[in-house]
Amino acid sequence: MLRIRGLAKSYGAGPALLDNLELEVAAGEWVAIVGESGSGKSTLLNIVAGLDRPDRGEVLLEGRALDFGDDDALALWRRRNVGFVFQAFHLLPYLTVAQNVALPLALLGVAPRERLARAAALLEGVGLASAGERRPGTLSGGELQRAAIARALANSPRLLIADEPTGNLDEANASGVLDCLAGAVRQAGAAALMVTHSPVAAARADRVLRLSGGVLR
Amino acid sequence: MSPALAASLFRGTLVASRWRITLTIACIALGVALGGAVHTVHTSALAEIDRSARVLAGAADLEVRGPSSGFDDALFASIAALPELAASNPVVDVSVATVAGQGLRVLGIDAFRAVAMQPAFVASAASTGSGRVATLLDGDALWLSPAAAARLAIGAGAKLPLMATGGAREFVVAGVLPGLDNAGEVVVMDIAAAQQHFGRIGRLSRIDLRLRAGADPARAQAAVAALLPAGVLVSRAASISGRAAELTRAYRVNLDALALVALATGAFLVFSTLALQAARRRQEFALLRALGVTRGGITAMLAMEGAALGATGAVIGTMLGLAGSRLLLSGSGADLGAGYFSGQSGTFAPDALVLAGIALLGIGMSVAGAAWVARAVNRMHVSEALRDRTVELPGNPHSSGRLALLLAVAGVPLLFLPPIGGLPAAGYAAVALWLAAAIASVGPACRVALGLWSPQGTVASLALAQVRQLPGHLAASVAGIVVSASLCVAMVIMVFSFRVTLTDWLTGVVGADLYARAAPSGEAYFTADDSARIATLPGIASVEALRYDRLAIEGSVAPLSLVARPIDARILSGFQAEPREMPEPGTLPHVWISEAARDLHGWKAGERIELPIAGKKVPVQVAGVVRDYARTWGAVLIADGDYRRLTGDTRANDLAIHLAPQADPPRVQAAMRTALTHLPSLQIEEAGEIRRRSLEIFDRSFAVTYALEAVAIVIGLAGVTSSFAALAWSRKREFGVLRFLGLTRGEILRMIAAEGAAAGTLGAAIGLVAGAAISLVLLHVINRQSFHWSLELHWPLGALAILVAGIVGACALGARVSGTFAIRHEAILAVKDDA
């Protein structure tokens, strides 16, 4: 599903952050990437998401290479193919939870009634069936992250990216979120890439890779 | 909290928001500068008038004045004999035209008497540069003030032809009087010569009086008054500057009020900037409260920040205002367009007390804005704010609807209060209350309006959701647009209504085909023979003679204009008289009074009054009230036949000429010039040209108003742009999320522009409603009480549409430009920003 070939990236005159990096992730496979702070994990995620441009190399999703020269094309590609889960949740405070979950569908032009129906179904799937009309500010951290996972699944993504999904959660909530995430990966059948500092979170993945010296091992 | 700590916290804010703070200070400075400059220009003009009047009055304690046509010079002997007086000086004061058409003020004086009061009137050859000791007794000798000599570009020995009785006459400039350096442009000559040459035989314009040492001024004044006929008054000398101040007070106050609008809008920008800063510093304030700073301490800290911004802006603004007014005075003089101070030049005389007051007002407004922000800050829950990174301040939405209603209702009874000291203070207060009501209505009005809006499309829906929240700081910037838009809308409606009303009135009043004047300026006349000769020329159907005079009315600051002319139903219709019909002939002459005369003197239609005409108190019947937009201080129309019978004066200042059908206007004008060769400065104009020029003067008089309104709009828009810039910055994280979710940069910018347009539309819509209401106050209360004019309401739909579209477009553009900086590549990193 996801293939990264010969990826390289450096900032300024320092050593390369990513150095001829290679990676393949199959559909439905959940890969965890661990590494020290500053090892380039976020940079790798940003490039894979089409938000940063590599110095060399290519990223292919279902055999199609990303065109890093066209910013709008990348945005549209993300809209159709990628789901994100952030460490800080990032639900928009002025939308209801259901509206937040439905936002990717709105961007795809799905009709309001249909997208809210699908949002309701997704929220039920993550155990937040009754939270649809509430504002994000009224939810706990664990609930927020589960809502964020529901949002990440809304556009039926081919690629699921999770950046420290349990970084702001306690152990109990983190466990619940990881269960949710596992279910989401299975449900979506997407290639899932997760960056984490948590060994517990990493252990839930199908494969754990360490980013060090610019390459994945 | 210690001032030092507060200062260091503020320094951090300054560094983080230096451009926004700079813009805020600039707007305060602009408001202070405008207020200071307008006031300084007017103060300087009045100071110059005062100085000039004092130079001419010399040591005089009292002065006797009458109508512009003068009073009997036999009065002088009886007045001069009063024991209370040490000296008395008769003066003929006339406005004369040069052959070239320039106006000159000529003072005819008795040199031997005048020198006792004003030595500058007489000088030796050595000090004048004259080759010989010319005396003022020479009938053809003129003495010029330095200003007059400079304007005419002539000196001793030059010939100066002036329009005298019977035609042009050449006079000789005997010298320049350096002692009249501050007297303005004045020409001095022997009084008998002035009487003879300028149609004032047996007439005086003024008598200057000096009291004997120890004489009681009030008693002396009463003794003089007892000798005076109707229409001749005695007052303290050098009161001309006081009269000028009185005459121009309403105009000056109105212009000062407009300038203060710009200041108030700038102060709003301070409020919105501080509100925005407070929202962003929410956690900082929460931390301070958690560490033990009281609510009062927070308020003091914010007040200090507001004072710092206001003080900086006020200092810069004061300096800019002084520099600007000095530049204006030395460049184009003191006239800001309405003609009240035309001819006054650049004597710079700022009023330090008033300028300090304006500066303090700017600071006060800033501090008040800061205190209002502090109220919201002190409402927040400290514990929630410490956890939550939301950029918002708690509002109090439900009270503002009630407050808006209360403020609006409170303004209504003020509309019915009379003026205070001749100024529409209650009207101004009503405008302030309705503006405050408009501001208070922003929150609830937005909720209602946005509840009705259901856009299609994700981008528009996201914009709506954001604006629907309407964070406190965004509401503050929208309120800034409401303030400036309200006043702009009100002025546009008022000026348009005035212009249409004036145009209709001019069409009725300037109803003849041609108008002739013996000279473009100065007191030149047509005799009865002149009028009769013109009436016989081919192509002329009829000629109406118009005669003007100014009557001195006891207790009135300004003279009452008397207009003697043929009056019929057509004329009454043109003047929009009430009632419109010609009255039945009665035992008394009929007169028609202007609205100003009615308001200032308390006269009404049907009333019997007495007017000082030809030195007598003449009983007349008020037949009706007319509109007169040319004379602010009142006018009386009287039939020319009645006037001639009462005065014996058969002269005319102007001739209104009705052409015969198929007449060729240029040919008729040529024939008139041929018939009146003794009037080389004869001026003939077509009615259309007069109407066009009148409207030009009207437009020019409002130029400063439009400039001040434009500044207020610019400041309001600056506030919106600044607010959106800060809002965009604070939403970088949100923009990053939207970029992750697949929104393009263009879509995000369109969303931001839509939010700006929505805010601009809301502000403009509220401003439109408030402005329309305020325009009614301007038309029917402020203008009425200031200038005594009735005006009809007319709606400038095109101009209003352009104004609203401009505001909406500018807000959308400003928001989009602000957003451009916030969605750069670094925005993506903001997603991971934990700060």
Side-chain angles (χ1 to χ4, degrees), chain B residues 89-102:
Chain B
N89 174 37
V91 178
V92 167
D93 188 345
V94 290
S95 180
V96 171
T98 66
V99 168
Q102 295 171 300

Side-chain angles (χ1 to χ4, degrees), chain B residues 667-748:
Chain B
R667 191 171 290 184
V668 169
Q669 293 183 47
M672 287 174 64
R673 291 190 192 283
T674 305
L676 297 173
T677 51
H678 59 286
L679 299 174
S681 300
L682 176 68
Q683 183 186 41
I684 307 172
E685 283 184 294
E686 294 193 32
E689 179 58 28
I690 294 175
R691 288 193 286 266
R692 189 197 62 76
R693 197 156 34 84
S694 301
L695 290 174
E696 233 176 54
I697 293 169
F698 173 88
D699 291 335
R700 203 172 56 230
S701 70
F702 281 101
V704 171
T705 303
Y706 284 135
L708 292 173
E709 284 302 313
V711 167
I713 285 279
V714 163
I715 292 175
L717 289 174
V720 170
T721 305
S722 165
S723 179
F724 270 103
L727 195 59
W729 185 94
S730 67
R731 291 165 66 195
K732 279 202 300 187
R733 201 178 308 127
E734 174 199 326
F735 296 149
V737 170
L738 291 173
R739 294 277 283 123
F740 269 97
L741 292 177
L743 254 72
T744 64
R745 281 198 172 90
E747 284 170 330
I748 293 178

Side-chain angles (χ1 to χ4, degrees), chain B residues 31 33 65 87 114 190 316 324 378 400 451 464 492-493 501 511 523 532 589-590 627 678 709 741 753 757:
Chain B
R65 285 184 174 269
D190 173 60
I316 296 171
N378 285 329
S400 61
L464 169 63
V492 165
I493 294 173
T501 305
E523 291 179 29
H590 285 110
R627 291 197 183 180
H678 59 286
E709 284 302 313
L741 292 177

Side-chain angles (χ1 to χ4, degrees), chain B residues 383-691:
Chain B
S383 54
E384 282 179 20
L386 283 171
R387 273 202 310 274
D388 184 7
R389 283 178 297 182
T390 305
V391 181
E392 170 61 329
L393 281 178
N396 195 2
H398 298 296
S399 69
S400 61
R402 284 198 301 271
L403 180 62
L405 194 62
L406 198 67
L407 291 167
V409 166
V412 172
L414 297 176
L415 304 177
F416 301 98
L417 293 181
I420 300 171
L423 291 175
Y428 287 131
V431 169
L433 283 173
W434 285 7
L435 268 178
I439 294 162
S441 72
V442 168
C446 290
R447 280 195 294 277
V448 168
L450 294 175
L452 299 172
W453 180 32
S454 54
Q456 304 301 310
T458 305
V459 168
S461 299
L462 283 171
L464 169 63
Q466 176 63 30
V467 175
R468 211 174 241 156
Q469 287 284 107
L470 210 58
H473 49 268
L474 183 59
S477 61
V478 170
I481 284 286
V482 167
V483 171
S484 45
S486 299
L487 291 161
C488 206
V489 164
M491 287 305 300
V492 165
I493 294 173
M494 192 276 290
V495 174
F496 183 78
S497 297
F498 197 167
R499 201 176 198 278
V500 172
T501 305
L502 179 66
T503 304
D504 292 342
W505 182 81
L506 283 171
T507 304
V509 167
V510 185
D513 298 304
L514 296 175
Y515 286 83
R517 184 165 282 193
S521 56
E523 291 179 29
Y525 305 101
F526 296 103
T527 63
D529 285 342
D530 293 335
S531 303
R533 196 176 313 145
I534 295 300
T536 61
L537 292 176
I540 291 181
S542 61
V543 176
E544 294 168 340
L546 309 178
R547 179 79 177 98
Y548 309 114
D549 198 357
R550 284 201 295 273
L551 310 179
I553 305 292
E554 188 73 50
S556 177
V557 171
L560 184 70
S561 295
L562 181 74
V563 179
R565 60 161 302 138
I567 297 179
D568 55 24
R570 179 182 64 82
I571 294 298
L572 292 181
S573 175
F575 274 93
Q576 299 178 32
E578 288 294 330
R580 202 62 62 96
E581 303 76 32
M582 283 293 291
E584 294 296 323
T587 52
L588 297 177
H590 285 110
V591 297
W592 287 259
I593 58 174
S594 71
E595 292 173 311
R598 177 195 58 194
D599 292 347
L600 290 170
H601 299 285
W603 300 329
K604 19 184 214 303
E607 190 178 341
R608 180 186 182 278
I609 62 173
E610 286 181 343
L611 293 176
I613 300 176
K616 297 189 289 290
K617 283 190 182 172
V618 177
V620 295
Q621 182 92 18
V622 179
V625 179
V626 297
R627 291 197 183 180
D628 184 3
Y629 301 112
R631 289 160 279 256
T632 315
W633 287 92
V636 172
L637 267 62
I638 187 170
D640 54 344
D642 288 333
Y643 176 77
R644 277 197 293 275
R645 196 170 50 253
L646 290 168
T647 63
D649 181 3
T650 59
R651 294 172 297 176
N653 297 87
D654 295 340
L655 298 178
I657 296 149
H658 296 266
L659 298 180
Q662 316 301 328
D664 178 29
R667 191 171 290 184
V668 169
Q669 293 183 47
M672 287 174 64
R673 291 190 192 283
T674 305
L676 297 173
T677 51
H678 59 286
L679 299 174
S681 300
L682 176 68
Q683 183 186 41
I684 307 172
E685 283 184 294
E686 294 193 32
E689 179 58 28
I690 294 175
R691 288 193 286 266

